[in-house]
Amino acid sequence: MNIEKREERILKTIHEQDQNNKQSLTEQNRDKVWHHISAYNEKNPPMIIESGDNAWITDHKGNRYLDGMSGLWCVNVGYGREEIAKVAYEQMKKLAYVPMTQSHEPAIQLAAKLNEMLGDDYKIFYSNSGSDANEVAFKLVRQYHQQNGQPSRYKFLSRYRAYHGSSMGALSATGQALRKYKYEPLVPGFLHVAPPDNYRKPEGISVEEYNIQRALELEEKIIWEQKETIAGIIMEPLITGGGILIPHPIYLEKVQEICTRHGVLLIIDEVICGFGRTGKAFGHQHFKVKPDIVTMAKGLTSAYLPLSVTAIRKDIYEKFDTGEEHSHLRHVNTFGGNPAACAVALKNLEILEREDLINRSAELGDRLSDELASLKDHPYVGDIRSLGFLMGIEMVEDKNTKEPASNARITKIIGECKANGLIVGRNGETVEGFNNVLALCPPLSCTDEDFDFIVSVIKKVFKENE
Ligand code: PLP
């Protein structure tokens, strides 16, 4: 056998081994990995993603997709940033771990940077995930009231349709019945009110009046529950995963007034809205609010490493300095504030600034709503809502009755977007009957060509589904 033939055979064998290996990856995955929020589905296994490059991901079969969901609403600066990987590497080499009972330079620098972005004086408490960050908020709010002469304040209010995390406390605050069903009873003391849903507001009332009314319902709940029992309210600036429900600005302004009037602390969950997603550093900066506590995760590191933050206004922190026994916050977690994760967050925030991605988010968001405005005439599109580079397309069966679109109709659209190379999301398994909002949350670093691709696929798929 000549050299060429031998080389050809070797290459063929390598190729076959490669194929077998890939085949077995799919099988091993099916056999061994229990996926998040996934039904048993032998015929349609999840993708095995092998690599990412800015807005694009590639699966193990070599298929490329534009990730219109930034993973799980988190890879704000896009995939494959070598400079982020490098700072993680350098930090791990220098110092891999410090418990946050002590401190380290990246944690200190990051705390300063976050204060600068928040535009106020906050203490920064580090954890690992959005759920963790919210748990910390609930614990410290209860303790704050205990130590501030109001021990009867222990209840939290949040909104139906909002998601605040998967751990028992954060899930209790969550207002999505399908995320809680079969895991109840959860933690006592968590109550819910309806959020403004401007698309489904009653006839004959302006959006502004309706939003004021929704805020007043919240106040009514506080009064009916006895205000001295209410510790805090947690809300996102807009409901994201629950269906992209964007309030009129008056709503948050009123919520702030109500909190102040009744001595209730306001926790703003910026886990998705933070770090440029809505076209500002934080989503609440669109509104007249001054949160007592801000929770953040996801875009903080663009998900290159896990890290979350509970930012607590300084005057609240000071109430933990009573000098009495057990008056300090006795919450600890092993990995929160990991040095490499903090270094990654700092680099991620540097990129956001250097590439002006917060303004880019606002710009791309405006362009996206202009480009897709014509979809409003589509027979199955009820409403399109966006703030920054975050959009919800609410699908209905009937524009007059606003009956939510069927599961089949929505999964068909999502499937066809994927077949055309675009991943879109959905508020799946949130509230029975209202899982009808498609979500777009692409990396803020999308190029103009990426943007055009998103628009062209959405338009094409909707056209084919008229
Ligand atoms: N809060 C909001 C608004 C979220 O969207 C999420 C997760 O999607 C969380 C909290 C929980 O974050 P994690 O999944 O990191 O625990």
Side-chain angles (χ1 to χ4, degrees):
M1 197 185 291
N2 67 26
I3 295 183
E4 268 179 20
K5 274 248 161 8
R6 201 177 307 151
E7 263 183 10
E8 201 178 296
R9 248 177 70 178
I10 292 170
L11 281 176
K12 193 162 168 247
T13 315
I14 292 173
H15 179 73
E16 278 165 9
Q17 279 171 352
D18 211 31
Q19 289 304 311
N20 288 343
N21 184 28
K22 294 200 165 154
Q23 172 68 18
S24 80
L25 260 189
T26 308
E27 279 164 10
Q28 282 180 49
N29 179 56
R30 184 179 296 139
D31 198 34
K32 305 269 185 321
V33 182
W34 193 334
H35 293 273
H36 298 192
I37 317 195
S38 296
Y40 285 94
N41 192 345
E42 295 285 310
K43 280 193 226 111
N44 189 17
M47 289 190 287
I48 300 172
I49 318 285
E50 219 164 58
S51 61
D53 178 16
N54 196 18
W56 293 81
I57 51 174
T58 304
D59 74 9
H60 76 307
K61 293 176 185 157
N63 301 311
R64 289 183 83 228
Y65 302 92
L66 192 146
D67 184 1
M69 280 306 290
S70 303
L72 215 47
W73 327 71
C74 51
V75 189
N76 290 11
V77 301
Y79 297 91
R81 296 268 187 177
E82 203 174 324
E83 58 183 315
I84 297 188
K86 275 195 178 137
V87 295
Y89 170 77
E90 292 300 339
Q91 185 58 50
M92 283 176 189
K93 250 190 348 176
K94 185 174 169 197
L95 179 68
Y97 179 71
V98 179
M100 282 311 292
T101 47
Q102 311 297 325
S103 203
H104 55 82
E105 203 177 328
I108 299 164
Q109 284 178 1
L110 181 58
K113 182 73 204 165
L114 291 174
N115 267 286
E116 186 192 310
M117 292 176 79
L118 285 163
D120 211 339
D121 224 2
Y122 286 85
K123 285 290 268 194
I124 302 298
F125 191 101
Y126 291 109
S127 306
N128 309 294
S129 68
S131 306
D132 280 358
N134 286 336
E135 295 293 345
V136 172
F138 302 140
K139 283 172 76 174
L140 78 85
V141 166
R142 282 190 176 168
Q143 188 176 354
Y144 164 82
H145 287 302
Q146 292 247 348
Q147 295 174 185
N148 196 31
Q150 298 199 298
S152 58
R153 289 190 186 268
Y154 72 95
K155 295 177 192 165
F156 290 95
L157 291 180
S158 57
R159 279 103 50 84
Y160 288 111
R161 302 195 63 178
Y163 183 72
H164 294 293
S166 56
S167 51
M168 293 306 246
L171 191 59
S172 306
T174 292
Q176 301 177 345
L178 291 176
R179 295 288 164 96
K180 309 207 261 195
Y181 179 52
K182 299 192 184 182
Y183 310 118
E184 291 158 307
L186 297 172
V187 180
F190 284 83
L191 311 164
H192 299 89
V193 294
D197 177 354
N198 297 338
Y199 172 59
R200 290 171 187 280
K201 76 169 178 59
E203 296 286 322
I205 174 175
S206 73
V207 171
E208 184 170 353
E209 281 167 338
Y210 166 69
N211 276 253
I212 294 173
Q213 211 175 69
R214 281 295 195 226
L216 291 177
E217 282 164 22
L218 181 77
E219 181 162 40
E220 195 170 61
K221 184 94 168 174
I222 293 174
I223 291 163
W224 283 350
E225 286 287 329
Q226 191 65 27
K227 70 178 187 328
E228 292 80 6
T229 68
I230 310 295
I233 292 177
I234 181 166
M235 58 177 64
E236 297 179 85
L238 63 112
I239 289 181
T240 53
I244 322 283
L245 300 171
I246 306 171
H248 184 283
I250 195 75
Y251 177 75
L252 271 128
E253 199 177 321
K254 290 282 164 204
V255 168
Q256 173 77 77
E257 280 171 25
I258 292 164
C259 285
T260 309
R261 190 150 55 236
H262 298 293
V264 172
L265 295 190
L266 180 59
I267 307 164
I268 295 288
D269 180 335
E270 291 275 1
V271 169
I272 287 181
C273 292
F275 306 104
R277 175 53 60 195
T278 68
K280 289 202 186 277
F282 293 102
H284 72 265
Q285 292 169 343
H286 288 277
F287 308 111
K288 276 198 200 138
V289 280
K290 205 164 157 38
D292 295 299
I293 294 174
V294 182
T295 58
M296 5 177 150
K298 296 191 191 266
L300 170 60
T301 59
S302 286
Y304 275 71
L305 281 176
L307 184 69
S308 67
V309 154
T310 312
I312 304 106
R313 240 185 41 219
K314 270 280 181 56
D315 54 316
I316 295 173
Y317 167 74
E318 265 135 34
K319 288 287 180 268
F320 288 77
D321 179 27
T322 68
E324 282 166 23
E325 205 183 359
H326 311 311
S327 65
H328 56 288
L329 179 65
R330 275 154 294 107
H331 184 93
V332 62
N333 62 68
T334 305
F335 297 127
N338 174 281
C342 290
V344 160
L346 279 165
K347 183 55 78 179
N348 173 57
L349 300 182
E350 183 192 312
I351 293 170
L352 269 187
E353 253 176 43
R354 194 180 67 218
E355 298 184 9
D356 200 21
L357 293 181
I358 299 179
N359 289 326
R360 175 83 174 154
S361 168
E363 181 213 323
L364 289 177
D366 287 348
R367 275 167 59 189
L368 191 63
S369 37
D370 286 350
E371 288 282 357
L372 297 184
S374 58
L375 279 190
K376 281 221 168 136
D377 299 329
H378 189 280
Y380 301 111
V381 172
D383 194 26
I384 303 180
R385 309 182 274 268
S386 67
L387 192 62
F389 210 21
L390 173 64
M391 176 176 272
I393 303 175
E394 176 149 0
M395 297 196 60
V396 291
E397 287 301 317
D398 180 320
K399 281 169 118 87
N400 291 322
T401 64
K402 300 187 178 173
E403 181 194 339
S406 69
N407 199 34
R409 191 175 306 285
I410 295 162
T411 46
K412 184 160 182 282
I413 297 267
I414 293 174
E416 288 177 20
C417 284
K418 188 176 167 200
N420 281 279
L422 174 68
I423 307 288
V424 298
R426 170 191 185 180
N427 64 335
E429 299 198 71
T430 56
V431 178
E432 189 88 56
F434 285 91
N435 301 299
N436 59 324
V437 183
L438 294 179
L440 273 171
C441 181
L444 310 181
S445 52
C446 274
T447 63
D448 285 345
E449 292 73 43
D450 296 336
F451 176 85
D452 292 344
F453 179 78
I454 295 171
V455 170
S456 69
V457 172
I458 296 277
K459 281 188 173 165
K460 173 173 185 271
V461 169
F462 273 86
K463 178 101 196 104
E464 287 165 2
N465 281 275
E466 269 178 358

